[in-house]
Amino acid sequence: MGSNSSRIGDLPKNEYLKKLSGTESVSENDPFWNQLLSFSFPAPTSSTELKLLEEATISVCRSLVENNPRTGNLGALIKVFLSRTKELKLSAECQNHIFIWQTHNALFIICCLLKVFICEMSEEELQLHFTYEEKSPGSYSSDSEDLLEELLCCLMQLITDIPLLDITYEISVEAVSTMMVFLSCQLFHKEVLRQSISHKYLMRGRCLPYTSKLVKTLLYNFIRQEKPPPPGAHVLPQQSDGGGLLYGLASGVATGLWTVFTLGGVGSKVATASELSSPLANQSLLLLLVLANLTDAADAPNPYRQAIMSFKNTQDSSPFPSSIPHAFQINFNSLYMALCEQQTSDQATLLLYTLLHQNSNIRTYMLARTDMENLVLPILEILYHVEERNSHHVYMALIILLILTEDDGFNRSIHEVMLKNITWYSERVLTEISLGSLLILVVIRTIQYNMTRTRDKYLHTNCLAALANMSAQFRSLHQYAAQRIVSYTCRHLRRYVYVLDKLYFPHSHCSTLQHCFSTLSDNGEELLSLTCSHILRSYASSLFSLLSKKHNKVLEQATQSLRGSLSSNDVPLPDYAQDLNVIEEVIRMMLEIINSCLTNSLHHNPNLVYALLYKRDLFEQFRTHPSFQDIMQNIDLVITFFSSRLLQAGAELSVERVLEIIKQGVVALPKDRLKKFPELKFKYVEEEQPEEFFIPYVWSLVYNSAVGLYWNPQDIQLFTMDSD
């Protein structure tokens, strides 16, 4: 490096880097440091270039690892950086470009070295390298200052205290990135780390007092989405081949970076616009998520999570309870607007989930907003484009909806918000629809996608839970939303019959079961001799009644014999047999959702009654099914009541006339005839040991989305890499 512009490929041969990593000790007062830190080269702009930088850094690092115990040059470099940061604030005020540029370069070198050190050695070895001194070859002092802790405290001070100006933007980004690198030891372990140097330094000691200030600053960096300075604000003249290192790191186009988490693993995609438009906001959000998801120390809870759980609105003048540590205030309106605008990224959705789930102040504020559509619509769009999103992003978006639907006020208000021309919804032109009806359409579409593609039980369970939470407050359902609720239920009713047919009445055994039906009946008389499939499809309700009575044993014996014959030939039951319980669960929940709406808001939903009447033949088949009989009572009552009124009105009725009859009939239907059921309410609860899910997820986001950071995929142990 040095005063001349360098290229990545030339780094291993650079005389200054050779001296840094060589056998000669360099005093922290040596003029060499000014020469080393006066470098500029085109910034890495793709994964290929970042990989080249990594490879070049490794060769320098390995030499430094070998010689540092004798030279202590790593400690000297860090001391040079620490001494410079003490004057950084003054340099920013005085517009001392050169001083800030060199300080940034020092931090950049430290970050590159630290990244390789953490990957290549144990934490114990790493700490030793930060304690080696120049005094005598191979010696280190246990009572010397802890440079690693001092470096971390310095980074926190730099992030929180240095004013964000054009000339300090790059070093602010680098400070955040270096903190992420310090925490990156988790990437190289399969298991979640519960004791590490991060716990030692970040949860106690000198770093602890910076907790609330750091979390607040990172949040404001995300809120402000500050763009990097324009090229005209560059410290040094732009190089003809792409510009200097200082500006380039923050503003270079990282088109080749590994970015988003894909279904089933990590893939390589182009960096998103948000990651490139504000590198500081992107890096700050990633660091915040990493800190928030650190596991608790053995003797202390995670202070960063405590800060996230307890911060309040700047307009809230009530005092903080003395029992709440690391408390601070932030502008909730600004935070809300930023969250609404940034939901295209996994990390912004994960932040929204974290705040809604863990901070009751934020949750209360958001639920009281009168413009919830600005937040809900981006979440619905994530779910709508489920094919293009990774499974974790979809899951977080869905959990956010589930948390919101726990509130009855939200469930009422979303049906009062009318939307026009939802351009991203392509199945049908929706010129005008309520937010509530749109939410129903998107969630049902998500369930359908999941049932046919990914078959994730937790996904469809949470989808159904969100619909169930809303069902008692369904209001003025759009005709298409009502139609989709009923048609989706009917789809599974038909699927249920189909699976029963395939499972219990395979063609090779039809004669056996047909004999059972043709020789036994309630009164001992022979039943009509029909094929099993015909019995199942045409006389479903009678068959379900039969199943629930004494002939249940006969069928059970017959089906057991079938399964026995299958297993005896080592032929497993087909996939659709495994689906039977899942289909039954979905049917049961959809019927409960319909029942809840009919019981609580029948008079508000004529379109739902219309859709039920249109499909009444299929519902009637399941009237006596033992699994659904109780929940079918109200649905059957409504279908029977309105069918009779339509029959009285005559034939050839228009849609408008049918709806008019339904609206009139709602008034005449005695409410006491509808059986009351317990209110459908589901509450989201995190799984035990949620860190087993969130820590790999967060680090996959860092790996994919952090600007200017690259790790060799072969070294990653925490999560599985995509084969692509």
Side-chain angles (χ1 to χ4, degrees):
M1 292 190 177
S3 56
N4 295 324
S5 177
S6 305
R7 295 187 180 277
I8 294 174
D10 299 332
L11 292 182
K13 305 172 186 176
N14 185 280
E15 59 179 299
Y16 296 100
L17 290 179
K18 281 185 175 180
K19 185 172 182 179
L20 171 67
S21 59
T23 57
E24 178 185 347
S25 294
V26 183
S27 166
E28 57 194 271
N29 299 315
D30 197 299
F32 160 79
W33 299 109
N34 281 333
Q35 298 168 328
L36 171 70
L37 301 178
S38 299
F39 65 84
S40 175
F41 61 83
T45 58
S46 69
S47 58
T48 302
E49 292 176 350
L50 286 165
K51 183 179 179 182
L52 287 175
L53 177 62
E54 175 86 356
E55 291 170 350
T57 307
I58 285 176
S59 63
V60 174
C61 279
R62 286 177 178 164
S63 177
L64 184 61
V65 167
E66 181 180 348
N67 296 317
N68 188 57
R70 294 184 295 276
T71 65
N73 284 348
L74 177 62
L77 171 62
I78 290 171
K79 288 178 181 178
V80 168
F81 170 73
L82 293 174
S83 66
R84 283 174 168 270
T85 56
K86 294 173 183 176
E87 303 174 40
L88 202 56
K89 196 169 184 179
L90 180 61
S91 298
E93 294 172 357
C94 299
Q95 296 285 302
N96 190 338
H97 292 238
I98 300 299
F99 185 87
I100 295 173
W101 169 54
Q102 290 183 333
T103 306
H104 168 273
N105 286 352
L107 183 55
F108 173 73
I109 294 174
I110 291 170
C111 184
C112 291
L113 295 175
L114 185 61
K115 186 155 68 72
V116 177
F117 272 47
I118 287 174
C119 179
E120 300 256 323
M121 64 182 65
S122 68
E123 292 185 344
E124 292 76 15
E125 291 177 287
L126 178 67
Q127 287 180 290
L128 283 178
H129 275 281
F130 275 79
T131 56
Y132 289 130
E133 294 186 1
E134 183 187 349
K135 295 185 297 184
S136 59
S139 68
Y140 66 94
S141 171
S142 59
D143 60 352
S144 63
E145 59 186 337
D146 193 331
L147 278 181
L148 197 50
E149 183 176 35
E150 192 168 344
L151 174 62
L152 272 174
C153 287
C154 178
L155 292 174
M156 287 183 164
Q157 288 176 314
L158 199 160
I159 294 168
T160 58
D161 293 346
I162 301 302
L164 188 59
L165 308 170
D166 282 354
I167 59 173
T168 60
Y169 189 96
E170 325 291 343
I171 197 168
S172 297
V173 173
E174 198 64 41
V176 175
S177 297
T178 305
M179 278 202 72
M180 275 196 289
V181 166
F182 169 72
L183 293 161
S184 66
C185 54
Q186 177 65 79
L187 280 172
F188 313 111
H189 293 80
K190 286 184 178 180
E191 70 286 350
V192 169
L193 294 179
R194 301 181 189 280
Q195 287 185 329
S196 66
I197 53 174
S198 60
H199 290 81
K200 176 181 177 181
Y201 294 120
L202 292 176
M203 297 194 185
R204 60 178 68 86
R206 294 171 55 193
C207 293
L208 193 60
Y210 296 99
T211 297
S212 58
K213 199 171 183 181
L214 178 63
V215 171
K216 183 177 181 177
T217 301
L218 295 175
L219 275 173
Y220 268 126
N221 286 347
F222 166 71
I223 289 169
R224 290 167 179 153
Q225 294 288 317
E226 292 282 357
K227 292 178 171 51
H234 196 281
V235 175
L236 296 177
Q238 288 275 18
Q239 303 295 326
S240 60
D241 54 2
L245 168 70
L246 179 64
Y247 174 66
L249 278 177
S251 63
V253 180
T255 52
L257 287 179
W258 296 63
T259 51
V260 254
F261 203 69
T262 56
L263 287 168
V266 177
S268 54
K269 293 188 178 180
V270 177
T272 64
S274 60
E275 289 157 17
L276 301 177
S277 65
S278 180
L280 180 60
N282 182 66
Q283 306 294 83
S284 295
L285 177 53
L286 290 171
L287 176 58
L288 180 63
L289 292 172
V290 169
L291 292 170
N293 285 281
L294 289 173
T295 56
D296 294 336
D299 56 350
N302 180 346
Y304 305 94
R305 188 182 300 120
Q306 287 183 315
I308 286 173
M309 290 172 65
S310 59
F311 71 84
K312 298 196 304 184
N313 196 351
T314 49
Q315 296 180 354
D316 187 346
S317 57
S318 62
F320 282 101
S322 57
S323 59
I324 297 181
H326 316 297
F328 64 91
Q329 291 179 287
I330 204 166
N331 188 306
F332 277 14
N333 181 63
S334 300
L335 178 58
Y336 178 81
M337 298 303 291
L339 287 167
C340 292
E341 293 167 3
Q342 300 299 321
Q343 285 308 304
T344 52
S345 75
D346 279 69
Q347 45 267 40
T349 304
L350 182 54
L351 176 63
L352 175 57
Y353 159 80
T354 302
L355 295 177
L356 275 175
H357 179 57
Q358 298 185 2
N359 190 313
S360 59
N361 300 320
I362 278 282
R363 185 167 59 253
T364 301
Y365 173 84
M366 288 186 176
L367 289 169
R369 294 281 303 204
T370 57
D371 59 348
M372 277 297 289
E373 68 272 16
N374 292 333
L375 186 68
V376 175
L377 281 173
I379 298 299
L380 294 183
E381 195 168 354
I382 293 169
L383 294 175
Y384 185 78
H385 296 294
V386 58
E387 302 93 338
E388 303 166 16
R389 302 290 181 179
N390 73 73
S391 57
H392 289 62
H393 198 184
V394 170
Y395 193 70
M396 287 298 100
L398 186 56
I399 297 303
I400 288 168
L401 286 186
L402 180 54
I403 293 172
L404 293 174
T405 60
E406 291 171 13
D407 182 77
D408 287 341
F410 172 83
N411 295 331
R412 286 190 296 271
S413 65
I414 55 175
H415 292 287
E416 298 168 1
V417 177
M418 299 306 297
L419 308 168
K420 294 181 182 294
N421 300 319
I422 308 301
T423 55
W424 47 262
Y425 193 93
S426 59
E427 270 87 348
R428 183 168 176 152
V429 176
L430 300 174
T431 54
E432 186 174 64
I433 189 171
S434 70
L435 179 60
S437 289
L438 181 64
L439 195 157
I440 293 167
L441 288 174
V442 172
V443 171
I444 288 177
R445 184 180 185 275
T446 306
I447 305 173
Q448 188 170 333
Y449 176 85
N450 178 64
M451 293 290 285
T452 56
R453 304 282 185 86
T454 56
R455 299 192 176 191
D456 181 339
K457 181 177 180 180
Y458 292 102
L459 192 66
H460 85 249
T461 299
N462 285 300
C463 282
L464 291 169
L467 289 176
N469 283 347
M470 295 188 294
S471 60
Q473 278 84 35
F474 283 171
R475 295 289 188 277
S476 304
L477 290 180
H478 189 279
Q479 61 180 15
Y480 186 49
Q483 175 192 326
R484 292 293 291 127
I485 291 171
V486 173
S487 64
Y488 184 72
T489 307
C490 290
R491 175 177 180 164
H492 282 283
L493 291 173
R494 286 190 292 269
R495 176 70 179 167
Y496 187 78
V497 172
Y498 173 81
V499 172
L500 276 178
D501 184 17
K502 293 295 184 183
L503 177 59
Y504 293 113
F505 309 116
H507 294 297
S508 61
H509 300 283
C510 268
S511 59
T512 303
L513 286 179
Q514 185 176 328
H515 176 71
C516 295
F517 285 116
S518 63
T519 58
L520 294 170
S521 66
D522 284 330
N523 57 11
E525 296 178 0
E526 182 174 310
L527 291 174
L528 289 174
S529 180
L530 299 169
T531 65
C532 299
S533 181
H534 186 76
I535 291 173
L536 187 65
R537 294 177 188 278
S538 303
Y539 302 95
S541 61
S542 300
L543 177 59
F544 295 145
S545 178
L546 187 69
L547 279 166
S548 63
K549 296 180 181 179
K550 58 185 178 182
H551 296 291
N552 195 33
K553 287 188 177 181
V554 178
L555 285 176
E556 185 178 345
Q557 292 171 359
T559 53
Q560 282 178 351
S561 69
L562 290 180
R563 287 172 171 170
S565 65
L566 284 173
S567 60
S568 63
N569 295 323
D570 294 323
V571 179
L573 285 172
D575 289 341
Y576 50 72
Q578 301 170 22
D579 292 346
L580 192 61
N581 286 338
V582 174
I583 295 171
E584 190 168 309
E585 288 175 9
V586 172
I587 292 172
R588 173 80 190 184
M589 184 63 80
M590 290 302 296
L591 292 176
E592 288 190 356
I593 289 166
I594 294 171
N595 181 73
S596 173
C597 177
L598 296 179
T599 306
N600 293 283
S601 54
L602 175 64
H603 56 294
H604 289 298
N605 293 290
N607 284 327
L608 183 62
V609 176
Y610 183 97
L612 286 171
L613 292 172
Y614 191 77
K615 297 286 186 180
R616 59 181 175 266
D617 290 345
L618 188 56
F619 282 95
E620 286 171 356
Q621 292 180 23
F622 284 78
R623 179 186 298 152
T624 57
H625 189 291
S627 296
F628 314 130
Q629 192 172 16
D630 60 333
I631 208 72
M632 281 293 298
Q633 290 181 33
N634 287 339
I635 297 172
D636 185 51
L637 173 65
V638 169
I639 290 175
T640 303
F641 177 82
F642 285 100
S643 294
S644 65
R645 294 185 74 90
L646 291 178
L647 194 60
Q648 294 170 14
E652 304 295 330
L653 299 174
S654 66
V655 174
E656 293 76 14
R657 177 59 182 150
V658 172
L659 286 172
E660 183 183 343
I661 293 170
I662 291 171
K663 291 174 184 177
Q664 293 169 352
V666 165
V667 180
L669 177 64
K671 300 298 184 291
D672 56 358
R673 291 180 61 187
L674 294 173
K675 181 181 176 182
K676 291 292 183 182
F677 286 85
E679 186 180 13
L680 281 180
K681 273 298 173 185
F682 295 87
K683 186 175 178 62
Y684 170 70
V685 179
E686 278 187 345
E687 297 282 334
E688 289 186 14
Q689 297 184 317
E691 64 275 7
E692 299 291 342
F693 170 84
F694 285 103
I695 289 178
Y697 179 36
V698 168
W699 277 106
S700 72
L701 296 179
V702 174
Y703 175 85
N704 291 319
S705 307
V707 177
L709 291 177
Y710 170 86
W711 287 275
N712 188 333
Q714 296 179 349
D715 294 329
I716 305 299
Q717 298 292 318
L718 182 61
F719 47 82
T720 304
M721 308 298 293
D722 196 5
S723 58
D724 295 336

